[in-house]
């Protein structure tokens, strides 16, 4: 009986991993800043739970993301803009072709929520 239960739990765990979202690709969002709305571009590459990629606001330089992770329908990563001494920690929920991010405050940026949409 224990072996059957263990097998069931293993299959259920593997099923959950198979359901994890894959957000590899390009995404765009409109970010409300103290200076107005700015278009933000994300380019993600996901391998399992590991997430790498880039972030770019408007015509600013492209910045590498760090500490990227996808677990189920949750995603998190950090954008560090060294020149402006700002760190944008992102925490998001994936829902199909949309990700709703919460960005923590940094410097003069008060923090925000933003919805990114996958570029098709």
């Amino acid at each position: 009986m224990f072996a059957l239960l263990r097998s069931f739990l293993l299959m259920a765990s593997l099923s959950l991993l198979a359901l994890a979202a894959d957000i590899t690709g390009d995404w765009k969002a409109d970010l409300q800043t103290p200076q107005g709305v700015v278009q933000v571009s994300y380019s993600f590459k996901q391998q399992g739970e590991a997430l790498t990629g880039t972030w770019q606001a408007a015509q600013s330089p492209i910045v590498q993301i760090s500490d990227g992770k996808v677990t189920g329908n949750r995603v998190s990563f950090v954008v560090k803009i060294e020149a402006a001494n700002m760190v944008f920690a992102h925490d998001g929920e994936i829902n199909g072709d949309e990700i709703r991010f919460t960005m923590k405050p940094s410097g003069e940026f008060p923090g925000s929520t933003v919805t990114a949409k996958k570029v098709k």
Side-chain angles (χ1 to χ4, degrees):
M1 182 66 160
F2 179 73
L4 181 61
L5 179 60
R6 189 171 67 186
S7 294
F8 174 76
L9 291 174
L10 177 62
M11 287 188 323
S13 297
L14 291 174
S15 295
L16 287 175
L17 287 175
L19 293 176
D22 183 354
I23 63 170
T24 297
D26 296 325
W27 300 72
K28 297 234 183 245
D30 289 328
L31 174 63
Q32 182 66 46
T33 72
Q35 291 78 30
V37 177
V38 174
Q39 188 174 67
V40 178
S41 299
Y42 302 91
S43 183
F44 297 125
K45 179 163 171 101
Q46 181 181 342
Q47 292 181 323
E49 288 190 347
L51 183 69
T52 58
T54 60
W55 177 92
Q56 183 179 28
Q59 300 301 317
S60 66
I62 296 172
V63 178
Q64 296 293 316
I65 67 170
S66 60
D67 304 320
K69 185 175 182 178
V70 177
T71 306
N73 71 334
R74 304 294 308 171
V75 57
S76 61
F77 58 90
V78 175
V79 174
K80 296 177 185 174
I81 303 175
E82 304 284 337
N85 197 27
M86 298 178 87
V87 177
F88 298 107
H90 287 66
D91 182 40
E93 183 175 358
I94 306 161
N95 187 7
D97 286 345
E98 289 188 355
I99 305 173
R100 182 175 170 86
F101 288 113
T102 299
M103 296 171 62
K104 294 184 179 167
S106 181
E108 293 181 22
F109 179 70
S112 183
T113 57
V114 62
T115 301
K117 296 185 180 191
K118 191 161 191 168
V119 175
K120 296 183 180 192

